[in-house]
Amino acid sequence: ALTAAPMATEPGTSEVRRQHHFDQGSLERYLSSRLPGFPRQPAGALAVRQYSSGQSNPTFYLQKGGQTFVLRKKPHGPLLPGAHKVDREYRVQKALFSTGFPVPEPLLYCSDVSIIGTEFYVMQHVQGRIFRDISLPEVGPAERSALYLAMIETLALLHSFDLQSLGLQGYGRGPGYCKRQVSTWKKQYDATAHTDIPAMNKLAEWLANNLPPNDNEESLIHGDFRIDNIIFHPTEARVLAVLDWELSTTGHPLADLAYATQFYFWPTSIMDLGQGSILETPSFEELVSIYCRCRHISTALSNFNFFLALSYFKMAAIAQGVYARYLIGNASAENSHEFAKLVKPLAERGLELSKRSSFSSTQHSISGELFHQSRKGQEILLKVKQFMKQHIYPAEKVKAFNEPDKWKKPPLLERLKELAKAEGLWNLFLPDVSGLSQLDYALIAEETGRCLFAPEVFNCHAPDTGNMEVLHMYGTEEQKKEWLEPLLEGKISSCFCMTEPDVASSDATNMQCTIERDGNSYVINGKKWWSSGAGNPNCKVAIVMGKTKNSSASRYKQHSMIIVPMDTPGLKLIRPLSVFGYMGRKNVLLHSMASTWQN
């Protein structure tokens, strides 16, 4: 994470490396005179740290007087032609920032090489999380899926921009992007190659001979779009800034999509060099489906093998360039000496992908077939189907399951629950518990939905599932221990109170139920109905949605959800309501009812 912590503890930084030293006094004098708002004396000297990440343009964390900035510059020494164009980075970030697209605010560009020895630009420092390991081991499956979803939606947004509206006409070189990419990276590789690698030559030849027929698209593309070039919100799955625009240009958007998803096919022989493990959650198919939905395009992505092969060719050429800079002593990466090992396996994987017509961990085509479960999801679905056939369907014939009183639980139901729990078919709806993706669970829920009581057998029934998700994501440790744990164990049930009899509660701004703080408690006044599960004798807790009286807040920001134990004084169950002749929903009155739980 990037934070405004003291320099000694700024994550991901170290002292400025010897080969990247520059005159910090000269930089400070320049910024004091040219950068509006830059702290002047006596705020103390400018402190500079270097980020360990970044293989191309050295990047530095600046701090003075409690304010923080980030500086990007060209490396010192001889450079490859056309590389390290920091002026282009500044230009594209400035255009995107003006639209509200998540990039750090660019503050100042300097072309005067006499200041620190190279061109550079300064941008606002963004506080948030950067994940260096693509498997995101710091978070659970649910948050990992949400973070990747945010990433791919941001990419789709980038590709939706009109170049003219951004003022970036002429930013690229027009049609023929794919052809230029093959030529550019072949030249870059040839200029830095330290040994002959036949796979690189074969891959370059295949790419040159298999260019997509529609090589004339001109979308704004990032060129290096991946999750470790993104700053996420400190606690939310929300993109705050996309970094490293050095390779941005205009061209075919599928090049970005292939580059952003290439880790699903990463060679296992080089997993240890910063790529983590291949993901099962979310799946490759899920990301592609989300991207296509956001851009309103077909999932039948033609020539995707070309773009994946091109991504690996580019990665191999970049790895070769990093190693070459290590040999001449101006590499930005601390582990740049290891990049020579990457070139051959990356080129070989690119060749292998060039021959594929389908792309997924289960070898299904992405064209028209979106619902592919992970390997674990497939295994669990098979076990659920077998359980349904062996235990659930025979139980449907038992008379006790057809009693008019739906709350009368036959002993067989508890035995079925214990069987399901023993087979690991329990709480499948919650990714952090089951390890299943939402797509995995959707197909499992389709199966369990064939029988009225089956979801309860697997502890996957509403409204408990939704309430457990809320408690899991937002509950305090005390609340989780009190309510979530017994719900996950199936010892109690719950209800959710949202709708009200006198208003259309589907528009929550109509709600009349009030929640007022009274010391360490809350007083709730209102009436709720259609509260599924409230009539269950085992229902021990409700989650109630209401409004707090705050006239200054927006009508959309007055709502809270509060935990209410069902034995709270003032709570009254009035009567069950029927739906198409079926009973089970309750009318709930909450009058001057105090709850000691805080929202």
Side-chain angles (χ1 to χ4, degrees), residues 15 17 31 79 120 131 184 188 254 300 331-332 361 446 510 546 594:
E15 293 184 3
R17 295 195 282 280
L31 295 181
L79 304 174
F120 68 90
F131 298 97
T184 296
Q188 298 276 35
L254 289 189
S332 300
S361 58
E446 180 183 36
N510 293 328

Side-chain angles (χ1 to χ4, degrees), residues 6-309:
M7 295 299 292
T9 59
E10 170 64 9
T13 66
S14 61
E15 293 184 3
V16 178
R17 295 195 282 280
R18 179 185 54 79
Q19 66 270 32
H20 297 140
H21 278 172
F22 56 82
D23 189 336
Q24 296 182 14
S26 175
L27 173 66
E28 184 172 4
R29 289 190 295 273
Y30 180 83
L31 295 181
S32 295
S33 63
R34 299 296 182 91
L35 181 59
F38 186 80
R40 290 355 186 229
Q41 297 292 349
L46 174 68
V48 182
R49 299 274 292 178
Q50 182 169 4
Y51 284 105
S52 57
S53 59
Q55 319 303 342
S56 184
N57 291 330
T59 307
F60 304 86
Y61 175 81
L62 313 180
Q63 185 184 68
K64 183 178 180 182
Q67 295 197 39
T68 56
F69 308 90
V70 174
L71 180 147
R72 291 263 289 178
K73 65 183 289 293
K74 284 188 174 185
H76 292 292
L79 304 174
L80 294 171
H84 311 284
K85 296 284 189 179
V86 295
D87 56 328
R88 284 175 60 83
E89 290 188 43
Y90 180 79
R91 179 187 174 193
V92 72
Q93 284 184 224
K94 196 171 182 65
L96 288 169
F97 184 80
S98 67
T99 71
F101 185 83
V103 290
E105 181 181 4
L107 302 173
L108 177 72
Y109 167 71
C110 177
S111 60
D112 185 352
V113 298
S114 69
I115 305 301
I116 62 171
T118 67
E119 298 172 46
F120 68 90
Y121 73 98
V122 176
M123 54 188 150
Q124 195 64 258
H125 176 265
V126 177
Q127 181 177 336
R129 294 179 290 173
I130 296 180
F131 298 97
R132 300 300 178 192
D133 185 335
I134 60 102
S135 65
L136 277 56
E138 309 96 318
V139 303
E143 187 175 3
R144 182 167 64 241
S145 290
L147 290 163
Y148 269 100
L149 170 62
M151 178 194 82
I152 214 70
E153 287 179 336
T154 301
L155 180 62
L157 175 61
L158 174 67
H159 293 161
S160 71
F161 283 115
D162 175 72
L163 292 170
Q164 187 169 353
S165 66
L166 288 172
L168 291 177
Q169 306 95 315
Y171 188 69
R173 294 171 58 188
Y177 166 80
C178 296
K179 183 178 181 179
R180 287 194 303 274
Q181 281 288 291
V182 175
S183 174
T184 296
W185 291 111
K186 180 67 165 64
K187 289 176 182 176
Q188 298 276 35
Y189 171 73
D190 289 342
T192 57
H194 68 286
T195 186
D196 181 52
I197 299 177
M200 279 296 284
N201 299 324
K202 291 179 182 178
L203 182 54
E205 182 180 0
W206 184 90
L207 289 167
N209 293 330
N210 291 273
L211 296 171
N214 61 336
D215 191 14
N216 57 358
E217 291 205 33
E218 292 187 76
S219 297
L220 177 62
I221 59 175
H222 182 274
D224 195 16
F225 198 90
R226 58 192 193 204
I227 204 159
D228 58 335
N229 273 336
I230 292 175
I231 301 177
F232 289 95
H233 187 277
T235 58
E236 301 173 16
R238 178 158 58 90
V239 174
L240 296 183
V242 179
L243 308 175
D244 199 352
W245 292 85
E246 183 194 355
L247 298 178
S248 62
T249 185
T250 60
H252 204 300
L254 289 189
D256 265 352
L257 180 62
Y259 196 82
T261 57
Q262 65 178 316
F263 59 83
Y264 283 102
F265 313 97
W266 196 259
T268 55
S269 61
I270 52 176
M271 258 332 159
D272 58 329
L273 289 178
Q275 287 295 317
S277 58
I278 296 175
L279 300 184
E280 285 197 349
T281 304
S283 70
F284 170 76
E285 291 82 8
E286 285 177 292
L287 291 190
V288 170
S289 173
I290 291 163
Y291 173 85
C292 294
R293 175 176 56 80
C294 289
R295 291 201 60 215
H296 307 290
I297 62 175
S298 169
T299 56
L301 304 178
S302 59
N303 302 109
F304 204 64
N305 61 328
F306 172 87
F307 292 104
L308 275 175

Side-chain angles (χ1 to χ4, degrees), residues 248-418:
S248 62
T249 185
T250 60
H252 204 300
L254 289 189
D256 265 352
L257 180 62
Y259 196 82
T261 57
Q262 65 178 316
F263 59 83
Y264 283 102
F265 313 97
W266 196 259
T268 55
S269 61
I270 52 176
M271 258 332 159
D272 58 329
L273 289 178
Q275 287 295 317
S277 58
I278 296 175
L279 300 184
E280 285 197 349
T281 304
S283 70
F284 170 76
E285 291 82 8
E286 285 177 292
L287 291 190
V288 170
S289 173
I290 291 163
Y291 173 85
C292 294
R293 175 176 56 80
C294 289
R295 291 201 60 215
H296 307 290
I297 62 175
S298 169
T299 56
L301 304 178
S302 59
N303 302 109
F304 204 64
N305 61 328
F306 172 87
F307 292 104
L308 275 175
L310 176 62
S311 292
Y312 275 89
F313 183 65
K314 181 165 77 172
M315 283 295 292
I318 291 173
Q320 183 62 59
V322 172
Y323 182 66
R325 290 197 295 276
Y326 160 74
L327 293 176
I328 62 176
N330 68 342
S332 300
E334 293 178 332
N335 62 338
S336 55
H337 61 285
E338 298 182 9
F339 278 69
K341 305 174 187 176
L342 296 174
V343 182
K344 183 172 181 287
L346 288 174
E348 290 174 342
R349 178 49 56 92
L351 270 176
E352 188 265 316
L353 289 170
S354 72
K355 300 169 185 174
R356 283 201 203 178
S357 58
S358 62
F359 305 94
S360 80
S361 58
T362 55
Q363 297 299 305
H364 290 297
S365 170
I366 62 173
S367 301
E369 297 180 35
L370 301 179
F371 304 114
H372 303 303
Q373 291 179 290
S374 68
R375 191 174 297 108
K376 181 174 183 179
Q378 291 173 331
E379 293 171 354
I380 295 296
L381 177 59
L382 180 60
K383 290 179 68 175
V384 167
K385 286 182 175 181
Q386 291 171 340
F387 192 97
M388 294 282 290
K389 183 177 180 180
Q390 185 176 355
H391 302 291
I392 300 294
Y393 297 136
E396 284 186 301
K397 301 173 184 178
V398 176
K399 184 177 183 297
F401 279 108
N402 299 296
E403 294 287 344
D405 183 1
K406 68 170 290 184
W407 303 120
K408 186 177 180 180
K409 306 294 183 183
L412 177 57
L413 181 63
E414 294 304 317
R415 292 200 295 272
L416 290 175
K417 288 183 179 181
E418 291 304 317

Side-chain angles (χ1 to χ4, degrees), residues 449-513:
R450 299 179 189 278
C451 170
L452 184 65
F453 60 83
E456 185 173 356
V457 170
F458 303 103
N459 209 41
C460 293
H461 55 300
D464 290 333
T465 49
N467 289 342
M468 285 189 274
E469 287 169 341
V470 170
L471 288 165
H472 171 73
M473 294 294 292
Y474 305 109
T476 65
E477 290 306 312
E478 182 182 4
Q479 291 166 344
K480 289 178 181 179
K481 185 172 183 62
E482 180 81 12
W483 304 115
L484 178 59
E485 290 182 10
L487 282 168
L488 287 171
E489 293 169 4
K491 293 180 177 179
I492 65 171
S493 64
S494 62
C495 67
F496 182 70
C497 299
M498 177 178 173
T499 55
E500 299 175 5
D502 299 322
V503 295
S505 307
S506 54
D507 179 355
T509 61
N510 293 328
M511 281 188 181
Q512 304 299 308
C513 180

